[in-house]
Amino acid sequence: MVPSAATPSLSLPPAQFASLQPHAYLLAHLSPPALSNQPSIRANGRSPSQFRATSANAGSLTHANGSAVVRLGDTAAVCGVRAEILHTDDIASWSVSSSTGAGNKRRKLSGEDPEDPEESQIQDLNLLVPNLSLSTGCAPGFIPGAPPSALAQSLSHQLLTLLHTSRLVRTDDLRIWYDVPDLEGAGQETGEAMDVDVVDKESSLKQPRKREIKAFWVLYIDVMIVSLAGNVLDAAWAAVLAALRDTKLPRAWWDVDAESVLCSNRVDEARSLLLRGLPVCSSFCVFEADAAAGWRAVVLPTSIEMEQNKQQQRWILADPDGYEEGLTQERMCIVLDKDQSGNPVIVRMEKNGGWTVGKEDLRQLVDVSAQRWEEMKTVLKW
Amino acid sequence: MTDRRRINGPPSGTRPPVFAAGADRPAVRPVRQRQPTELRKLFLKTGLIPSASGSAYLEFEPSASLAAARATPTSLIPPSSALKLTCTVHGPKPLPRSAAYSPNLVLTTHVKYAPFAARQRKGHIRDASERDLGVHLETALRGAIIAERWPKSALEITVTILEAEDDRWYGDAPDAHDASWGMMNVLAGCITAASAAIADARIDCLDLVAGGVAAMVYAEEEEEKGGEEPRGRKLMLDTDPAEHRSIGSACVVAYMPARDEITELWLKGDSGGSHEGLIDGAVDAARGAHGVLAEAVREGLSVTN
C-alpha cells in the first residue's frame, strides 16, 4: 500500500471530519490556536451571537385567511391561518350572562386597551388552535403519515402557550356581536311608564343598545415545516407572527332569519387583527468543551476542586443549526418584546438541559435578543 | 374521538364561514384566457431542502382571474387557485433489518394536503383521496426508476401540497358532471415535481417522467341549450376546473418522451369513445411540462457543480 503511505496522516476532508468527530470539529472551530490570530467562529462561519439570515413573505397562499413563509437559513416554515366560526349555541358551558356581560363595558379600542375582563375566553374556549407538522419530509428522521413525533407535539404546545401568555391576539377581535333590536325595551317603557321612576328610565336611555355575543372566530394556525435545519421554534413562531399579521377576518353578523352567522366577502369590510406587540423568540444553545465536566464535579467534588476555579470552557451559540443542536444539551429561549419607549420586556424565558448559564449570561442574552428584536422588526416589516 | 397528540379546537367543532350573496357584485365565473392547447406556465426548482437527498418545489402560474384578484382585491373569496407543492426524496437508504429481502428499490410515496391547502379545511390524517394520489404517484414513478440497481434499499418520496386546485368553481353546486377534477391536476404536478426531486437525488431513471392533463370540456352555449347529444365538446389541455362549467372527462398521464412511454394513465368521466384524443392531448401537455422539467434539472445540476 505505497500510495496510502505517501498521503499525510491527517488528510480527511472537512466534511468527513465533521461527521466522524462532530464535537471535536466544532470545538476546533470555536477555540482556534492562540498563536494564529483567527477569531473564534462557528463551523457554519457565524460568530457565536449571530443569527442566520431571515426572510419573510406573507400572503402568498390563496385559501388561507392569512399566510406567511419564513426562512431562517435553511429552515423554512409555512404558516396558514384559517378562520372558522364557533357559535355560542354550540358551546356547552355558555350562558347568556357571559354573552352580554362584556358588551356593556366595552369601550373604544384606542392605543392601550382597557383590561378586558373576558380576556381568558381565548384560552377557555380554545379559540386559537396552533398545530405544527414535521411529517412533510423535512428531515429524514420523521416518517410521513405517522402520528406527530414528540418534537412536533412539544413544539405545537410551545406555540400554544406562547400565544396564550403573550396575549398576542385580542379576544375582542374574535367576537361576533349581535345588536339586539330594542323592541322589548320599547314595549316595556310604554307598559310600565306609570310606575317607573325617573332614575331607572335615565339609565335605560344612557345604556347603549343591548349587544350579545353570538359567535367567535376560531383561528386554526397550521405550521408546516418544509425544511428542517435546526431552531424550529424561532422559525415557526416568526411564521405565526407574520401570518397572524396578514390575517383578514371578513365582516360577520348574526342573521336572525337564517339563525346563523353570515359573512361579507368584501375586502374593504374585512379587518385585520390588532396584535398586541411583537414578541420575538430567540433561541440559544450552550456548547461545552467538556460536556461531562459539570456532572463530574458533582459526583466527585474533591478531585475536581482545583479545576473549579478555572472557567469551564463553553460557548453560547445563538440560533443553532441542526448540526449544533445535535451537540448541545442546554437550551435557552427568550421571548422578548419592546414597549413604546423601546425598553425590552421579557415575555417568556425558558432554560433547560444544563446548568452552566448563570444570571450574568442571561442578562447578556437578553441584550442579544433585544438586538434580534430590531432585526426581526425589519424582516417582518412590522 | 379526539386526537390527543394534536391541539384540537373547540370540542363542539366549528363551522366554515358562510358568505352572504352580495347582490351588488354578483360573482362571475373565471374565463379561460388561454388557447385550448396553451399550457399554464410552471415554476420548478430543485434542491431547496438541504437535509433531503433530493427536493423540488413546483408552482403553477395563477390564472388570469386569480392574478387580477390578487392585484386588486375586491372579494375575499378567491376565484380559483394555483397549485403549489413541495416534494422531498429521502434515500436510497438501507431497509430496516426486520424487512424482507427485496432485490429492488422499495418505493414509498406519501401525498399530504396542508390543512389550509383547499377551500375546505383538510384534516391532519391522510384521507382516501390522498392515499389514492400516493398510489397513482407510485405507479407513475416506478416505471421510470431503474429499481434493480438498489437492492435492499428504500426510497421515500413525500409530497406536501400547500395549495391545491379546485374541483369546480366555488359558485357551482355539485352536479352530475362533478368529480374531483382538481385532483388530476394535483397528480400531474406531483409527478413532475417528484421526477425533478428524484433527479436531484441522483437516482438512475430511464427518463424524466412528466405529468400532463387534458380534458373534454362542454362548451358553454351547448350546455345552455341543454342538448342531449353533447356535440360541443372540446379538447383542452391543462384545464383549470374552476374555469369550466362542466367537464365531461379528463385524463392524466405520466409520460417519458425519450421512450415514448406512458407509465401511468388515469382517465375519468365519460370520454364518449374519444379517449384516444384525450390521451394524446394529455401526452402533449406532458411534453410541455417535460421541457420545463429538463430545464429545471439542468439548472439544479449547474448550481451544484
Side-chain angles (χ1 to χ4, degrees):
Chain A
M1 299 304 279
V2 182
S4 67
T7 54
S9 57
L10 267 176
S11 67
L12 281 175
Q16 275 181 28
F17 187 54
S19 51
L20 286 173
Q21 290 287 331
H23 192 271
Y25 182 73
L26 187 53
L27 183 62
H29 272 270
L30 286 168
S31 55
L35 293 174
S36 69
N37 278 325
Q38 282 173 340
S40 171
I41 205 158
R42 291 149 77 171
N44 44 31
R46 286 186 280 155
S47 71
S49 64
Q50 196 182 350
F51 287 77
R52 286 174 285 182
T54 312
S55 66
N57 181 18
S60 43
L61 294 178
T62 310
H63 290 308
N65 289 63
S67 63
V69 184
V70 167
R71 292 189 145 264
L72 181 65
D74 283 333
T75 302
V78 180
C79 178
V81 176
R82 268 304 259 273
E84 292 203 352
I85 291 168
L86 170 70
H87 285 219
T88 49
D89 304 344
D90 295 345
I91 306 171
S93 59
W94 190 255
S95 59
V96 183
S97 62
S98 52
S99 70
T100 51
N104 301 335
K105 289 176 199 141
R106 189 166 168 269
R107 267 169 276 167
K108 192 89 198 101
L109 287 169
S110 54
E112 270 313 291
D113 58 319
E115 209 49 42
D116 191 342
E118 303 283 330
E119 193 58 51
S120 63
Q121 270 171 346
I122 284 193
Q123 201 164 345
D124 297 342
L125 302 174
N126 300 321
L127 298 183
L128 298 175
V129 192
N131 270 300
L132 183 135
S133 171
L134 287 173
S135 46
T136 54
C138 60
F142 303 102
I143 306 150
S149 60
L151 177 63
Q153 289 179 47
S154 71
L155 283 166
S156 297
H157 275 276
Q158 266 175 308
L159 291 179
L160 180 70
T161 48
L162 206 44
L163 281 168
H164 285 162
T165 53
S166 67
R167 298 161 69 243
L168 187 66
V169 180
R170 291 166 206 263
T171 317
D172 204 61
D173 282 346
L174 304 181
R175 293 192 183 118
I176 297 170
W177 291 92
Y178 170 55
D179 289 321
V180 181
D182 208 12
L183 299 173
E184 295 161 28
Q188 261 178 10
E189 260 172 50
T190 50
E192 298 170 20
M194 292 152 258
D195 54 342
V196 157
D197 51 347
V198 190
V199 186
D200 212 39
K201 210 175 194 178
E202 243 176 25
S203 71
S204 74
L205 281 174
K206 254 186 198 169
Q207 204 166 329
R209 279 186 303 168
K210 200 177 157 203
R211 308 182 89 219
E212 202 178 322
I213 301 174
K214 274 297 186 183
F216 287 99
W217 285 107
V218 175
L219 301 182
Y220 289 93
I221 304 167
D222 290 290
V223 184
M224 311 294 281
I225 302 295
V226 173
S227 170
L228 176 66
N231 201 0
V232 190
L233 183 63
D234 283 14
W237 179 248
V240 169
L241 278 177
L244 281 175
R245 192 175 155 76
D246 182 50
T247 299
K248 279 200 163 58
L249 293 180
R251 186 173 73 84
W253 66 90
W254 174 258
D255 192 277
V256 186
D257 300 329
E259 291 216 317
S260 66
V261 172
L262 294 181
C263 305
S264 150
N265 67 354
R266 295 171 62 120
V267 167
D268 47 352
E269 286 178 350
R271 61 192 163 76
S272 307
L273 297 173
L274 275 170
L275 300 181
R276 282 199 188 91
L278 168 67
V280 168
C281 179
S282 333
S283 297
F284 304 89
C285 69
V286 181
F287 177 74
E288 291 169 77
D290 182 2
W295 305 104
R296 219 180 294 132
V298 171
V299 180
L300 307 164
T302 48
S303 62
I304 316 285
E305 200 95 50
M306 307 285 279
E307 290 177 42
Q308 278 287 314
N309 305 329
K310 209 176 76 181
Q311 179 64 35
Q312 156 79 27
Q313 275 277 63
R314 55 138 180 75
W315 292 266
I316 299 179
L317 309 176
D319 185 18
D321 60 17
Y323 182 72
E324 289 161 347
E325 273 190 345
L327 296 172
T328 54
Q329 293 290 319
E330 192 168 354
R331 302 280 157 78
M332 269 139 317
C333 166
I334 295 175
V335 183
L336 182 133
D337 199 352
K338 282 192 178 176
D339 59 12
Q340 269 131 4
S341 47
N343 298 321
V345 177
I346 297 169
V347 177
R348 185 186 159 95
M349 198 185 250
E350 204 173 283
K351 185 179 107 63
N352 47 31
W355 55 9
T356 57
V357 175
K359 244 188 270 177
E360 280 309 306
D361 296 308
L362 275 176
R363 208 158 281 156
Q364 277 176 19
L365 290 184
V366 169
D367 291 343
V368 175
S369 310
Q371 280 171 25
R372 176 67 176 164
W373 187 87
E374 297 290 344
E375 270 176 55
M376 285 307 285
K377 197 183 172 187
T378 51
V379 167
L380 297 174
K381 301 180 193 76
W382 209 263
Chain B
M1 202 182 75
T2 55
D3 186 351
R4 295 171 66 184
R5 288 167 298 204
R6 292 187 177 87
I7 293 167
N8 300 298
S12 53
T14 53
R15 312 178 195 179
V18 177
F19 288 97
D24 50 338
R25 259 182 286 181
V28 187
R29 177 198 304 280
V31 181
R32 181 177 168 123
Q33 307 281 347
R34 294 172 282 139
Q35 296 299 310
T37 54
E38 196 183 338
L39 307 176
R40 277 179 286 187
K41 290 196 185 83
L42 61 95
F43 174 82
L44 185 62
K45 198 164 167 59
T46 58
L48 287 172
I49 299 165
S51 55
S53 10
S55 60
Y57 173 77
L58 179 135
E59 186 176 330
F60 275 1
E61 175 201 23
S63 62
S65 55
L66 183 60
R70 285 220 183 124
T72 52
T74 52
S75 169
L76 287 173
I77 311 172
S80 68
S81 59
L83 186 68
K84 289 184 184 67
L85 56 88
T86 64
C87 176
T88 54
V89 173
H90 289 291
K93 53 189 175 188
L95 279 175
R97 276 172 177 277
S98 55
Y101 172 77
S102 158
N104 294 325
L105 185 70
V106 178
L107 188 67
T108 45
T109 50
H110 288 267
V111 178
K112 184 78 195 87
Y113 284 78
F116 45 78
R119 241 169 245 280
Q120 294 294 318
R121 223 182 95 80
K122 285 268 181 180
H124 290 285
I125 296 164
R126 283 198 301 165
D127 62 13
S129 73
E130 287 165 338
R131 261 170 300 184
D132 200 12
L133 279 174
V135 173
H136 280 294
L137 180 62
E138 192 187 330
T139 35
L141 298 174
R142 179 163 285 165
I145 294 175
I146 308 172
E148 59 268 27
R149 294 205 183 156
W150 287 275
K152 302 185 279 183
S153 324
L155 190 69
E156 211 165 73
I157 296 166
T158 317
V159 178
T160 306
I161 297 161
L162 298 173
E163 188 175 318
E165 296 265 301
D166 288 330
D167 285 337
R168 69 183 88 86
W169 182 53
Y170 72 91
D172 281 342
D175 72 342
H177 292 300
D178 219 45
S180 42
W181 303 118
M183 225 170 112
M184 309 192 93
N185 288 359
V186 170
L187 178 62
C190 287
I191 292 166
T192 311
S195 182
I198 287 170
D200 186 41
R202 313 281 204 277
I203 310 283
D204 297 355
C205 290
L206 296 170
D207 188 13
L208 292 168
V209 54
V213 177
M216 282 290 180
V217 176
Y218 292 109
E220 292 280 321
E221 58 273 24
E222 285 296 315
E223 190 67 24
E224 297 300 320
K225 275 192 279 177
E228 57 285 345
E229 178 50 43
R231 254 178 301 159
R233 291 205 299 193
K234 253 177 125 178
L235 180 71
M236 299 255 188
L237 303 192
D238 192 17
T239 43
D240 180 352
E243 292 174 344
H244 302 287
R245 188 186 176 95
S246 61
I247 295 174
S249 57
C251 171
V252 195
V253 294
Y255 177 71
M256 293 190 287
R259 291 161 63 96
D260 194 25
E261 186 178 317
I262 291 173
T263 57
E264 154 77 16
L265 174 79
W266 185 19
L267 206 145
K268 211 174 196 174
D270 170 25
S271 62
S274 60
H275 54 268
E276 296 259 343
L278 199 55
I279 294 167
D280 285 344
V283 166
D284 282 346
R287 272 183 212 275
H290 186 270
V292 182
L293 177 58
E295 193 58 43
V297 169
R298 210 172 288 135
E299 209 173 86
L301 288 174
S302 65
V303 168
T304 48
N305 288 344

